[in-house]
Amino acid sequence: DAGVIQSPRHEVTEMGQEVTLRCKPISGHNSLFWYRQTMMRGLELLIYFNNNVPIDDSGMPEDRFSAKMPNASFSTLKIQPSEPRDSAVYFCASSRYRTSGSGNEQFFGPGTRLTVL
Amino acid sequence: AQKVTQAQTEISVVEKEDVTLDCVYETRDTTYYLFWYKQPPSGELVFLIRRNSFDEQNEISGRYSWNFQKSTSSFNFTITASQVVDSAVYFCALSLMNRDDKIIFGKGTRLHILP
């Protein structure tokens, strides 16, 4: 079975450019999570969706960040305009949602390493 | 607020030694889940275990074992007879039962197994 798929795996861009990260969750999973990992701050939850609906975006750092989930098999995280401090590894994870707070384990993608020059 | 503390930032042991990774959590909720994830050098986080707050039984899976003690709010992870392939960053994490689906991760412990 395919795991969570993320693209691109590496992205190098210049400050001010728009960046779009993509995620395909595991088939049948209906919760999707976007995380950011840096040395300084560790692993931070940015936003998560249940059944394609954004549930909590309190971790999104600022308005430059936006996420969408147009259907059950695809999500994007967009940064516009990008800044050097956005450099990090961005992970997408999915899980099987039943009810809120049921502690379902999340399955992570390989991540996208973003470098903003 | 919820918090997970992994006080050991980095540990190095020689292969075949046993090693314990500490995890202390904070929450006012009485029902919750605890997790351990492994992040090998390839970068992808791999789920290892989930325990719920009702079940304090220790868990053993091969060379891995977990000790959950509510009295000390700890969920420690022991690797017996460590191997070089165990080298990774290990994350302890917490989520609240029947609240939401967030998982709060600790900062991780980087484990080096030396040949």
Side-chain angles (χ1 to χ4, degrees):
Chain A
D1 288 342
V4 175
I5 299 172
Q6 291 188 246
S7 65
R9 294 293 308 276
H10 301 272
E11 176 81 26
V12 180
T13 190
E14 292 190 347
M15 183 174 65
Q17 296 297 307
E18 177 180 298
V19 174
T20 299
L21 311 181
R22 297 174 176 79
C23 175
K24 177 179 169 54
I26 292 172
S27 178
H29 282 190
N30 49 1
S31 286
L32 185 140
F33 304 79
W34 282 102
Y35 290 88
R36 178 172 68 176
Q37 185 178 36
T38 61
M39 288 294 293
M40 289 296 293
R41 301 172 69 92
L43 202 57
E44 303 173 278
L45 176 65
L46 301 177
I47 185 172
Y48 77 94
F49 298 81
N50 285 343
N51 294 318
N52 312 339
V53 176
I55 302 300
D56 189 328
D57 65 354
S58 59
M60 296 286 261
E62 44 199 281
D63 292 345
R64 298 184 296 106
F65 286 69
S66 62
K68 293 182 180 179
M69 192 163 185
N71 57 62
S73 59
F74 184 65
S75 177
T76 59
L77 177 68
K78 187 175 293 188
I79 308 173
Q80 165 64 19
S82 57
E83 297 183 2
R85 59 194 168 117
D86 301 331
S87 297
V89 180
Y90 290 81
F91 287 101
C92 176
S94 71
S95 70
R96 197 181 297 274
Y97 170 76
R98 291 187 287 268
T99 59
S100 288
S102 51
N104 299 311
E105 58 267 33
Q106 296 177 14
F107 295 85
F108 282 73
T112 295
R113 183 173 295 276
L114 173 65
T115 303
V116 183
L117 303 175
Chain B
Q2 285 63 238
K3 186 178 177 182
V4 176
T5 301
Q6 295 180 255
Q8 303 151 308
T9 306
E10 202 159 343
I11 301 175
S12 294
V13 300
V14 176
E15 197 174 18
K16 298 183 184 176
E17 287 185 356
D18 298 348
V19 58
T20 295
L21 309 183
D22 297 333
C23 172
V24 173
Y25 60 92
E26 295 175 34
T27 178
R28 290 185 178 180
D29 281 43
T30 56
T31 56
Y32 46 86
Y33 295 95
L34 296 165
F35 303 82
W36 276 94
Y37 280 81
K38 175 182 180 179
Q39 186 176 35
S42 59
E44 192 168 332
L45 276 87
V46 177
F47 166 77
L48 295 179
I49 190 172
R50 178 188 68 179
R51 303 294 285 177
N52 71 55
S53 52
F54 300 118
D55 186 0
E56 283 191 76
Q57 269 196 325
N58 289 338
E59 177 100 7
I60 298 175
S61 176
R63 296 183 297 105
Y64 293 174
S65 62
W66 290 269
N67 182 286
F68 175 26
Q69 292 195 350
K70 287 179 81 168
S71 60
T72 56
S73 297
S74 65
F75 186 42
N76 296 338
F77 173 28
T78 297
I79 302 175
T80 304
S82 60
Q83 300 176 2
V84 173
V85 293
D86 296 327
S87 297
V89 181
Y90 291 86
F91 292 92
C92 181
L94 165 75
S95 74
L96 301 180
M97 201 179 288
N98 302 321
R99 288 274 294 274
D100 56 38
D101 302 300
K102 294 181 183 180
I103 293 183
I104 299 115
F105 285 87
K107 290 289 179 67
T109 297
R110 184 175 297 276
L111 177 62
H112 301 277
I113 308 297
L114 308 173

